[in-house]
Amino acid sequence: MVVLRAEMCPGLDEDLVKDLRAADIKTVEDLVSSDTEEVAQRCSVSYKALFAIRRVLLAQHTAFPVSGADLYEELLSSTAILSSGSPSLDKLLDSGFYTGEITELSGGPGSGKSQVCFGVAVHISLHLKQSVIFIDTTGGLTAKRLLQMLQTETSNREEQMEALQRIHVFQLFDVFSLLDCLYSLRAGRLQQASVGGGGGSVKAVIVDSVSAVISPLLGAKHNEGMSLMIQVAGVLKTMAKDFNVAAVVTNHVTRGDGGEVQPGLGASWSHIPRTRVLMEKLDRTSVVSHSSLRSATLIKSSRQVTHSPARHGAQIAGKRCTKKC
Amino acid sequence: MRPVSSLSLSPSVKVRLVSAGFRFTSDLRGLKPLQLSKEASLSQPEALEVLQTVRRVVGGDEGGGGASASLTALELLQKEEEELRSIVTFSSQLDAALGGGLPVGKTIEICGAPGVGKTQLCLQLAVDVQVPSCFGGVGGQMVYIDTEGSFLLQRVVDIATAGVRHCSLLAEDDEQRVAMETFTVETILSNMFLVRCHDYVELLAELHLLPGFLSAHPRVRLLVIDSVAFVFRRLFDDLSQRTRLLNDLAQQLIAMATRHKMAVVITNQMTTRLRGGQSQLVPALGESWGHAPAIRLLLHWVGPQRMAAIFKSPAHMDSTIQYQITSEGFRDANQCEQPQSKRPRRHTNQPAASQRVTSC
């Protein structure tokens, strides 16, 4: 429902808008679906003028079909695959995170989701020399950890500092700030970030985690939660498509009816990411596990066979150098 | 150009705007509050609020300044090194495991069975946060929210006295001696703000009022809530509501921790989980609560020895250290009569560990 305004197209001036309003035609949809002859008579305007206006408005507000071949060409030229920094995870994801799509990592606390996100950010900023936008909603990001991961990859201090400069961090803790941030990124800050960030365009937008800001709103009393969740999904998807970035989100897990672990945020969210990975600690017998191994299972993918668990050894490296004096 | 439904306004206002045909922020351009209130049947103040929100949001998008400022990771690193110094505890092993001390700007959860020392650690941290910066401390004030009634003043006095004595023995140069004049038991007690909450409504109300208090007291560097589990485990019929409230609480706490540059310490109790005929002791408040704190410490016993294990942290390796509770507070475990072995401590060797512990 788009409201009719005077400057929308040539020929549509204030008086005409007022007349149309009086004839109970307030939005573009109303005008387009009404009988042009009848409206022309009622508003005492020429049929031709009204028909021309109608055509211009239709052209402005309809969607255009694109041929499959063109779409495929565009896809081939614009999609990039970003490695996650871990070869076995890459194999699970069919060589990495694809741009133009949303990939979800879900898992219980301590299963390694944030670590994989850090790893992706470090890999992209250091090896691919491109920028990354990291939206942290849980407070789990410390620059020291990023530096530690960089130090295991390269010992050149210059390179480390440059890589750190290419990672842009947003610390937000509620859904409206997240929406503000995503919309402003889409409206143009994405380009700004790439220009100011020492070269390299933004290749990935990581949101860790999206469930922390949305799950307080889903439930009995809140009728807005679903709508906000779908809006976040919508803006992430359009951003991923329009700017050719890979969107990576993390999610928590809940227990299903049978007691098995499943990703959170419900069935509506499950349609949104193109690829979903479930991560778990291998040693579930005690709270304090001494193994740093985690397992990642592909539970939704449009390219790979799902439910094939891959051993994903997330050895947290580089701890030997952090004794703080 | 944003959909109106993504703005931070009350749902009823948004519904009325959308039904009047204003779906996007561009539709609201150039409207006066009077016009808007007539067309969308809103009250005048509501219409004014809508237009102000739209102006702020659109201005942010175009101006590039934006509602949320971003940092590069390099700037964040510098900020961490300068402003967010860790709270040094009196247990060197715990400091080492945490990479220098309790990190400021994060939420930390301490869980453990009754009597293992959670409240003792909280009281110790209440004194540690006030250690002057020339001794390597943070020199800040703290807020203690007590829900269980376990805050014992005499115990705090004992810990504070021991802390002051420890620091005065360390004082070497003039700066430290001058600092010691302001680091006495009286000043320590006067820098602790104590709140007593009896149920979850009082706790949530207190957290709602806390940002105002923190703006008035910018030196606060630690918030302790002892304990969150106690108020959320009683009288809660609707578990899904509890989960929602806890998630909301978690986000408020992390927002406060980041904005006011303080560490938030939460204590949690333990519960038993039955899985396939086997029972296991796990932290209470459910699995979704596990995502809320950034760092989780589990205090437990291995035989007669108390151990602290870090089992969730995005920045530190999972590790376990030994500690003890003495009359002076939370300290490293005494290594007195044990042979100096080069073998690294592994607690998979549990029988060996319990044999090795001697009573000191």
Side-chain angles (χ1 to χ4, degrees):
Chain A
M1 285 202 298
V2 184
V3 174
L4 278 174
R5 317 217 70 159
E7 7 12 279
M8 255 180 185
C9 76
L12 193 65
D13 54 6
E14 277 285 351
D15 296 327
L16 186 52
V17 172
K18 257 192 238 152
D19 292 335
L20 286 171
R21 283 265 168 93
D24 207 24
I25 295 185
K26 294 204 187 101
T27 63
V28 171
E29 283 89 340
D30 291 339
L31 181 59
V32 160
S33 53
S34 62
D35 184 10
T36 322
E37 226 178 273
E38 192 198 320
V39 174
Q41 271 182 355
R42 251 200 294 168
C43 303
S44 54
V45 69
S46 85
Y47 177 79
K48 262 195 182 167
L50 199 60
F51 194 76
I53 292 172
R54 186 170 176 276
R55 204 173 48 190
V56 172
L57 285 177
L58 264 178
Q60 277 181 353
H61 291 92
T62 46
F64 287 100
V66 178
S67 84
D70 290 339
L71 205 58
Y72 186 59
E73 282 299 319
E74 197 196 310
L75 206 68
L76 279 183
S77 60
S78 60
T79 310
I81 307 179
L82 308 167
S83 162
S84 63
S86 153
S88 48
L89 188 62
D90 282 348
K91 196 150 149 232
L92 196 69
L93 291 170
D94 193 19
S95 29
F97 294 99
Y98 280 62
T99 57
E101 299 183 356
I102 301 183
T103 310
E104 178 198 77
L105 301 167
S106 50
S111 52
K113 316 182 284 295
S114 301
Q115 296 300 311
V116 172
C117 292
F118 297 163
V120 173
V122 159
H123 184 89
I124 295 176
S125 68
L126 186 65
H127 295 292
L128 302 178
K129 301 229 187 317
Q130 308 284 1
S131 304
V132 176
I133 297 205
F134 199 110
I135 300 178
D136 181 27
T137 63
T138 56
L141 175 73
T142 45
K144 278 196 212 117
R145 177 66 182 133
L146 291 175
L147 183 62
Q148 210 174 49
M149 291 175 112
L150 282 168
Q151 282 168 343
T152 62
E153 305 270 335
T154 166
S155 47
N156 182 343
R157 192 140 175 95
E158 271 288 316
E159 275 184 39
Q160 290 165 8
M161 295 298 128
E162 270 177 23
L164 280 181
Q165 271 187 313
R166 284 191 273 259
I167 303 176
H168 301 266
V169 174
F170 287 84
Q171 291 174 313
L172 321 155
F173 306 106
D174 67 282
V175 71
F176 291 111
S177 319
L178 177 63
L179 281 169
D180 282 345
C181 174
L182 290 174
Y183 276 113
S184 71
L185 282 175
R186 206 182 77 172
R189 282 183 72 184
L190 214 63
Q191 276 102 336
Q192 281 185 13
S194 28
V195 164
S201 50
V202 174
K203 273 278 162 263
V205 173
I206 304 175
V207 182
D208 178 23
S209 74
V210 76
S211 55
V213 288
I214 294 180
S215 52
L217 301 173
L218 294 175
K221 298 281 176 55
H222 294 265
N223 40 20
E224 253 205 315
M226 283 285 215
S227 143
L228 291 167
M229 178 172 87
I230 300 298
Q231 289 202 35
V232 169
V235 70
L236 266 178
K237 272 197 175 178
T238 47
M239 196 159 56
K241 256 267 157 305
D242 291 341
F243 296 102
N244 288 318
V245 295
V248 181
V249 300
T250 55
N251 194 0
H252 66 287
V253 289
T254 54
R255 286 212 181 264
D257 293 326
E260 83 284 359
V261 162
Q262 62 187 21
L265 294 181
S268 317
W269 177 264
S270 67
H271 300 284
I272 291 170
R274 181 78 70 86
T275 311
R276 304 179 91 193
V277 175
L278 181 67
M279 302 179 65
E280 292 176 298
K281 278 191 188 180
L282 279 179
D283 178 9
R284 270 170 286 170
T285 52
S286 64
V287 175
V288 184
S289 83
H290 309 306
S291 149
S292 55
L293 285 180
R294 308 283 190 268
S295 86
T297 312
L298 193 66
I299 50 177
K300 175 183 175 190
S301 166
S302 40
R303 283 179 288 265
Q304 302 264 74
V305 176
T306 56
H307 288 294
S308 51
R311 223 41 21 136
H312 161 57
Q315 301 282 347
I316 303 185
K319 290 300 177 181
R320 54 191 182 276
C321 48
T322 55
K323 185 91 187 242
K324 189 156 175 198
C325 312
Chain B
M1 195 182 84
R2 275 175 69 159
V4 156
S5 42
S6 72
L7 295 174
S8 169
L9 299 164
S10 111
S12 59
V13 166
K14 287 197 253 192
V15 161
R16 273 178 279 172
L17 282 174
V18 168
S19 55
F22 298 104
R23 271 184 68 210
F24 294 97
T25 50
S26 51
D27 297 335
L28 289 166
R29 235 180 329 143
L31 272 185
K32 297 280 186 313
L34 203 53
Q35 277 176 294
L36 181 61
S37 68
K38 242 190 302 185
E39 290 190 21
S41 48
L42 294 170
S43 73
Q44 280 261 39
E46 283 174 347
L48 193 59
E49 193 198 340
V50 167
L51 290 171
Q52 280 174 344
T53 312
V54 169
R55 205 171 304 140
R56 177 181 59 84
V57 156
V58 170
D61 285 351
E62 291 164 6
S68 45
S70 79
L71 305 163
T72 62
L74 189 61
E75 290 165 11
L76 188 63
L77 185 69
Q78 285 160 352
K79 185 173 157 193
E80 279 174 15
E81 280 171 6
E82 288 159 27
E83 297 174 27
L84 304 175
R85 298 170 58 187
S86 312
I87 299 176
V88 177
T89 67
F90 280 103
S91 160
S92 57
Q93 286 199 28
L94 186 62
D95 285 347
L98 286 172
L102 213 73
V104 163
K106 303 263 173 256
T107 43
I108 299 122
E109 180 193 62
I110 303 174
C111 31
V116 74
K118 308 186 289 296
T119 306
Q120 298 299 311
L121 179 54
C122 291
L123 297 177
Q124 180 68 59
L125 289 170
V127 172
D128 292 338
V129 74
Q130 303 188 38
V131 169
S133 42
C134 49
F135 286 100
V138 170
Q141 301 173 315
M142 62 92 56
V143 176
Y144 196 105
I145 301 183
D146 184 16
T147 60
E148 292 179 334
S150 51
F151 185 89
L152 294 170
L153 196 54
Q154 189 50 49
R155 184 64 180 139
V156 179
V157 169
D158 290 341
I159 296 179
T161 319
V164 168
R165 194 173 50 233
H166 187 98
C167 285
S168 53
L169 288 174
L170 285 178
E172 288 169 342
D173 55 28
D174 288 327
E175 196 194 341
Q176 291 180 337
R177 268 184 276 265
V178 165
M180 280 312 297
E181 285 165 28
T182 50
F183 187 58
T184 62
V185 176
E186 283 78 29
T187 53
I188 291 178
L189 292 178
S190 63
N191 282 332
M192 292 168 73
F193 300 102
L194 179 64
V195 181
R196 180 84 171 87
C197 294
H198 298 90
D199 58 32
Y200 77 95
V201 177
E202 286 186 24
L203 178 62
L204 292 175
E206 178 57 36
L207 290 176
H208 191 72
L209 296 171
L210 209 49
F213 179 85
L214 292 173
S215 310
H217 295 83
R219 274 184 59 208
V220 172
R221 286 286 166 270
L222 177 67
L223 169 68
V224 173
I225 306 182
D226 181 19
S227 66
V228 162
F230 187 69
V231 286
F232 275 96
R233 290 179 86 187
R234 308 187 299 168
L235 310 171
F236 243 106
D237 295 324
D238 186 359
L239 280 185
S240 58
Q241 189 199 17
R242 187 182 86 166
T243 311
R244 270 200 306 283
L245 284 176
L246 282 172
N247 287 338
D248 202 23
L249 180 86
Q251 291 303 110
Q252 279 184 34
L253 288 175
I254 184 64
M256 263 195 289
T258 312
R259 229 161 267 148
H260 299 273
K261 301 194 189 57
M262 61 178 191
V264 177
V265 173
I266 317 164
T267 45
N268 195 2
Q269 297 168 350
M270 302 292 274
T271 183
T272 304
R273 179 169 66 189
L274 295 165
R275 182 81 56 76
Q278 284 197 331
S279 73
Q280 196 190 352
L281 213 55
V282 295
L285 298 181
E287 270 192 55
S288 60
W289 173 254
H291 296 274
I295 299 173
R296 302 180 88 192
L297 283 172
L298 175 69
L299 305 182
H300 59 286
W301 273 287
V302 171
Q305 176 62 46
R306 296 171 200 251
M307 317 276 269
I310 303 176
F311 67 104
K312 178 193 173 190
S313 170
H316 314 103
M317 193 119 131
D318 292 355
S319 55
T320 307
I321 59 136
Q322 298 183 348
Y323 71 94
Q324 59 175 352
I325 309 286
T326 65
S327 60
E328 302 182 343
F330 189 95
R331 296 284 188 274
D332 281 333
N334 239 329
Q335 311 257 321
C336 38
E337 279 146 32
Q338 292 168 16
Q340 287 296 323
S341 66
K342 291 278 189 326
R343 189 173 43 141
R345 248 162 250 270
R346 294 249 149 108
H347 37 267
T348 45
N349 283 342
Q350 280 183 19
S354 52
Q355 279 170 22
R356 239 183 323 165
V357 168
T358 57
S359 56
C360 296

